[in-house]
Amino acid sequence: MKGSTLALAAQLVTSASAFTLVQRENPKVVKFDINRRNVNPLEHDRLRRRDTVQVTLDNLETLYFMNASLGTPEQNFRLHIDTGSSDLWVNAANSRLCSNIGQPCSVAGTYNANDSSSYNYVNSVFNISYVDGSGASGDYATDTFKLSNPDLTVEDLQFGIGYTSSSPEGILGIGYRVNEVQVNRAGLDPYSNLPQKLVDDKTINTNAYSLWLNDLDASTGSILFGGVDTDKFNGTLSTLPIIAESDTYAEFIIALTAMGEDGDKGSIFENESVAVLLDSGSSLMYLPDNVATALYSKYNAEYDSSQGAAICDCDLANQDGSIDFTFSSDGPTISVPLNELVLVMGYQRGEPICILGIGPSGDSISVLGDTFLRSAYVVYDLENNQIGLAQTVFNATASNVKEIESGSDGIPSATSVPNAISSLSVQGGGGRIGGPSVTGSIGGSNPESSGFGSPAATPMPWHAAGAALAGAGLMMGFNGF
Ligand SMILES: *[C@@H]1O[C@H](CO)[C@@H](O)[C@H](O)[C@H]1NC(C)=O
Ligand SMILES: *[C@@H]1O[C@H](CO)[C@@H](O)[C@H](O)[C@H]1NC(C)=O
Ligand SMILES: *[C@@H]1O[C@H](CO)[C@@H](O)[C@H](O)[C@H]1NC(C)=O
Ligand SMILES: *[C@@H]1O[C@H](CO)[C@@H](O)[C@H](O)[C@H]1NC(C)=O
Ligand SMILES: *[C@@H]1O[C@H](CO)[C@@H](O)[C@H](O)[C@H]1NC(C)=O
Ligand SMILES: *[C@@H]1O[C@H](CO)[C@@H](O)[C@H](O)[C@H]1NC(C)=O
């Protein structure tokens, strides 16, 4: 039964309180440095949000990328890291798009199977597509995947080749395998995507990784497969259950239960349960309309629906203050400093134009994208279906890498949140192509599984207003505004 499985899952998560710290001279981890690319976050998210949230180019314009190669001899790529999809795919050199004058694919790199002695054909079901009609299709193949720093070789990694494509990017999707194109479009069994392959090859202990995006003003962060760097966050990591959709763990959704400002926990709202998607592929965060509206009025930001963003005074970035997010009632609070929320969009006569990095979610699921994620150290534990969260340390230069061990309590320096919320009604969970094909209410409506202060099955009332922003702030009680 659905309900009892969830209750059991919740118990397992909440009873794990002892954590194993494994520190070896050579920990079994793989760390990649990642670069941030400066793209216009609005253009990026506008494409992504053309229809509903996290559709369209969701997976295509992630701001964070790394270098890697495929093939023998090596063919080099710049790959965008995407926690919101699950396939590695690259463009074929001879696709119509990449053969265009101007070589649009040359920055991200292209693959030529005939030039690789280690290429092996798998099947022809690769087809990733987006609501606006863009996407890529072609073959799945395996080949040797290499990183130069650190030195890592993964033999026979499966990936997609876009023989037909309308996107010049190469994507490294590292999400749940149930979201692989081969599974959710062709109905085939899952294959080992990169994080799972690193486990299969015993390079790391367990399918879990940590993402440290770092400061808005810093251009590099890192992703650590199989490990946690305890010098990149303050305090301990709190672990929270990921919320399943139709009994399937498919995306990184957790429960946001309170928001406050300037350290005043819950001053914006509390005792609510908002399903939020952690998505490194989204530049901004998208919050329930009335919350966004209240924040706009608080910070004198003006929402421009044609831009899909709220213009604000750039001086806001020089003010002290924060917006604070609390998860699973008794769970961690991540504080996002105001200066992380103000993005320079461009210049007009030498003067910068700024936006607040918060948009309205309309009738779609709320999303915590990069304007939130930079302030958090996040562990994505796909083996145990949990998220570890702690306040980031910006610009940390020290490093203390520990292995994550297999098993439910394998994340070092972590404690699980008591009475964590493990099921919720998620709105707008469907509609994402390449996402799970579920809509409407998900998870079990099982109050026991979520404990004190957590209205597990309560739908989000403010979504009823849809995209109507005006006056939406009245729909729920706001403290402090
Ligand atoms: C990737 O390669 C480019 C070009 O060589 C280089 O500028 C960039 O720093 C590299 N990025 C990482 C994360 O290694
Ligand atoms: C690889 O070689 C085959 C056979 O010669 C040819 O049909 C195909 O177009 C080539 N592929 C590429 C990407 O050049
Ligand atoms: C890929 O999927 C799209 C959308 O479902 C479809 O229109 C297209 O024909 C497919 N391409 C191939 C090669 O199967
Ligand atoms: C982090 O470093 C960048 C420069 O690399 C700097 O602009 C920024 O202010 C630093 N952030 C903090 C919080 O110290
Ligand atoms: C977070 O950790 C850093 C480095 O360990 C320390 O300098 C800073 O004071 C800590 N901040 C808080 C809020 O505890
Ligand atoms: C939230 O719950 C706590 C504990 O039950 C209660 O003290 C508080 O007044 C509630 N806050 C709101 C805004 O309802």
Side-chain angles (χ1 to χ4, degrees):
M1 253 178 57
K2 186 155 93 172
S4 48
T5 326
L6 278 163
L8 182 63
Q11 265 165 22
L12 284 175
V13 171
T14 55
S15 63
S17 51
F19 287 89
T20 335
L21 251 82
V22 182
Q23 190 153 33
R24 297 181 215 229
E25 220 155 292
N26 294 302
K28 282 172 72 174
V29 300
V30 178
K31 173 176 171 262
F32 309 155
D33 286 335
I34 55 182
N35 283 156
R36 187 159 63 91
R37 186 163 69 103
N38 286 320
V39 302
N40 178 326
L42 272 192
E43 265 169 32
H44 162 65
D45 282 4
R46 195 181 307 132
L47 283 171
R48 153 177 202 285
R49 288 170 52 79
R50 183 164 301 164
D51 215 14
T52 54
V53 181
Q54 70 277 336
V55 287
T56 69
L57 295 187
D58 193 356
N59 304 330
L60 289 188
E61 297 249 334
T62 312
L63 294 171
Y64 290 88
F65 65 87
M66 55 172 282
N67 297 328
S69 75
L70 282 167
T72 313
E74 297 173 21
Q75 302 178 32
N76 293 314
F77 297 93
R78 185 189 74 180
L79 300 173
H80 290 244
I81 293 165
D82 184 21
T83 59
S85 67
S86 306
D87 294 284
L88 164 62
W89 74 269
V90 293
N91 277 292
N94 62 350
S95 73
R96 195 191 302 171
L97 172 77
C98 297
S99 316
N100 269 335
I101 305 171
Q103 301 188 298
C105 308
S106 63
V107 180
T110 56
Y111 181 78
N112 186 337
N114 289 352
D115 289 347
S116 175
S117 62
S118 43
Y119 159 86
N120 278 298
Y121 170 83
V122 175
N123 63 40
S124 297
V125 304
F126 177 69
N127 185 349
I128 199 158
S129 59
Y130 305 92
V131 165
D132 67 348
S134 72
S137 63
D139 294 346
Y140 271 117
T142 62
D143 208 334
T144 304
F145 173 87
K146 273 192 185 172
L147 295 174
S148 54
N149 181 25
D151 228 334
L152 173 82
T153 301
V154 179
E155 306 285 359
D156 304 318
L157 181 67
Q158 185 165 334
F159 64 102
I161 306 171
Y163 286 113
T164 304
S165 170
S166 50
S167 164
E169 304 295 339
I171 310 292
L172 177 59
I174 52 175
Y176 279 106
R177 290 190 296 157
V178 70
N179 271 338
E180 290 165 358
V181 166
Q182 162 167 323
V183 181
N184 73 6
R185 291 193 67 137
L188 302 178
D189 287 339
Y191 67 89
S192 291
N193 63 1
L194 182 66
Q196 184 59 45
K197 189 72 163 65
L198 293 172
V199 178
D200 298 352
D201 292 351
K202 303 196 166 28
T203 307
I204 60 177
N205 295 318
T206 177
N207 191 345
Y209 45 84
S210 305
L211 201 47
W212 180 64
L213 297 183
N214 204 5
D215 193 347
L216 188 55
D217 294 321
S219 61
T220 55
S222 61
I223 183 164
L224 188 58
F225 286 93
V228 161
D229 185 342
T230 62
D231 280 350
K232 300 281 191 281
F233 59 85
N234 278 111
T236 54
L237 280 163
S238 301
T239 54
L240 304 165
I242 290 170
I243 291 165
E245 297 161 81
S246 300
D247 287 343
T248 303
Y249 292 99
E251 297 180 287
F252 303 116
I253 295 173
I254 58 175
L256 171 67
T257 47
M259 280 181 65
E261 39 167 5
D262 308 334
D264 189 0
K265 184 176 167 180
S267 61
I268 298 173
F269 68 81
E270 59 179 346
N271 305 340
E272 298 285 341
S273 282
V274 183
V276 289
L277 177 72
L278 302 178
D279 182 6
S280 69
S282 174
S283 300
L284 307 190
M285 64 175 99
Y286 296 90
L287 298 174
D289 293 354
N290 61 338
V291 176
T293 308
L295 293 171
Y296 295 161
S297 88
K298 165 85 188 173
Y299 297 112
N300 290 320
E302 188 136 359
Y303 185 72
D304 176 344
S305 56
S306 70
Q307 295 286 326
I311 312 294
C312 69
D313 189 336
C314 296
D315 274 345
L316 189 58
N318 302 320
Q319 285 178 27
D320 287 336
S322 61
I323 300 181
D324 314 312
F325 298 77
T326 302
F327 299 90
S328 262
S329 309
D330 298 333
T333 297
I334 303 295
S335 196
V336 179
L338 285 182
N339 62 14
E340 291 289 324
L341 286 166
V342 178
L343 306 178
V344 179
M345 290 308 305
Y347 292 83
Q348 201 168 42
R349 288 181 218 98
E351 293 294 312
I353 312 281
C354 292
I355 61 161
L356 195 63
I358 298 172
S361 60
D363 54 8
S364 296
I365 189 172
S366 294
V367 176
L368 297 180
D370 297 336
T371 51
F372 168 84
L373 291 169
R374 278 187 281 266
S375 296
Y377 190 87
V378 185
V379 185
Y380 299 84
D381 179 353
L382 288 79
E383 180 179 294
N384 301 298
N385 303 309
Q386 60 181 359
I387 293 288
L389 273 183
Q391 188 75 35
T392 198
V393 176
F394 289 125
N395 291 345
T397 48
S399 179
N400 182 28
V401 170
K402 292 179 176 167
E403 267 174 43
I404 302 175
E405 291 220 274
S406 193
S408 63
D409 56 356
I411 302 177
S413 309
T415 35
S416 55
V417 172
N419 308 308
I421 297 173
S422 60
S423 77
L424 263 184
S425 169
V426 174
Q427 198 121 2
R432 218 167 344 226
I433 293 189
S437 46
V438 293
T439 46
S441 175
I442 60 160
S445 49
N446 173 32
E448 284 90 356
S449 70
S450 49
F452 160 81
S454 50
T458 311
M460 292 156 284
W462 48 78
H463 279 311
L469 273 172
L474 297 173
M475 287 180 56
M476 59 183 281
F478 279 88
N479 311 329
F481 279 116

